[in-house]
Amino acid sequence: MTIVVTRIDERLIHGQVAYSWSVAYQVTEFIVIDDGVAADPTQLLLLSLAVPSGKRHAILSVEDAVKYLVEQSDQEKTFIVVKSPRVLLSLIEKGIILPSINVGGMYYKAGKQEISKTVYLDEEDKSIFLKIRDHGIPCEIRTSPNDKSIDLFTKI
């Protein structure tokens, strides 16, 4: 497996992710990593329906995702999507190698500061991203594949 995109998007799989990103990066597999979603039958069904026809997918807890990512040796072009940078830091700390991280949708909540039109961070988020940077992983802000890439670290 080759991880071609790792994205933070609170909406997980939706039209833009399912189609624009999968076409731009020739994605053959989607992996959603979220403990809550993986345990919710309704969310499992809804996200499964959002995956384009002919694409593989898995909706996994963090623990199951680590096992899955370590054990896979097929030729899939994998798109990983999570809701939070905390999940990605957990994967990284468990030995999963992520070439880069795309931050596309972390939306406004009380206490969060606007970094871009679609990215709002609080101090905890910033701290997590700085730990990710310490692992040498670049993070960009980009809503769609055609948008200009902005280095997240220049904004925090």
Side-chain angles (χ1 to χ4, degrees), residues 16 118 126 130 152:
Q16 185 176 334
T118 60
K126 290 176 186 177
L130 293 174
L152 173 79

Side-chain angles (χ1 to χ4, degrees), residues 3 6 8 33-35 60-67 69-70 80 82-98 101 124-125 127-133 135 137 139:
I3 298 171
T6 301
I8 300 171
I33 305 171
D34 186 277
D35 290 343
L60 304 167
S61 67
V62 173
E63 183 178 323
D64 289 341
V66 170
K67 291 177 195 168
L69 293 168
V70 167
I80 294 174
V82 302
K83 291 182 181 181
S84 160
R86 178 175 298 289
V87 171
L88 297 179
L89 181 59
S90 179
L91 294 175
I92 294 162
E93 289 174 342
K94 294 177 187 322
I96 302 301
I97 297 169
L98 303 174
I101 295 171
E124 181 180 359
D125 295 327
S127 174
I128 291 168
F129 277 118
L130 293 174
K131 289 177 185 173
I132 289 171
R133 181 179 68 181
H135 287 273
I137 299 170
C139 294

Side-chain angles (χ1 to χ4, degrees), residues 27-89:
V27 172
T28 59
E29 174 184 55
F30 289 89
I31 300 176
V32 173
I33 305 171
D34 186 277
D35 290 343
V37 172
D40 182 333
T42 302
Q43 288 293 317
L44 289 170
L45 175 62
L46 291 173
L47 285 171
S48 294
L49 292 172
V51 175
S53 178
K55 308 285 184 188
R56 287 178 44 172
H57 73 280
I59 302 166
L60 304 167
S61 67
V62 173
E63 183 178 323
D64 289 341
V66 170
K67 291 177 195 168
Y68 183 87
L69 293 168
V70 167
E71 293 172 1
Q72 291 302 312
S73 60
D74 53 30
Q75 297 300 313
E76 298 297 333
K77 290 185 173 184
T78 301
F79 185 114
I80 294 174
V81 63
V82 302
K83 291 182 181 181
S84 160
R86 178 175 298 289
V87 171
L88 297 179
L89 181 59

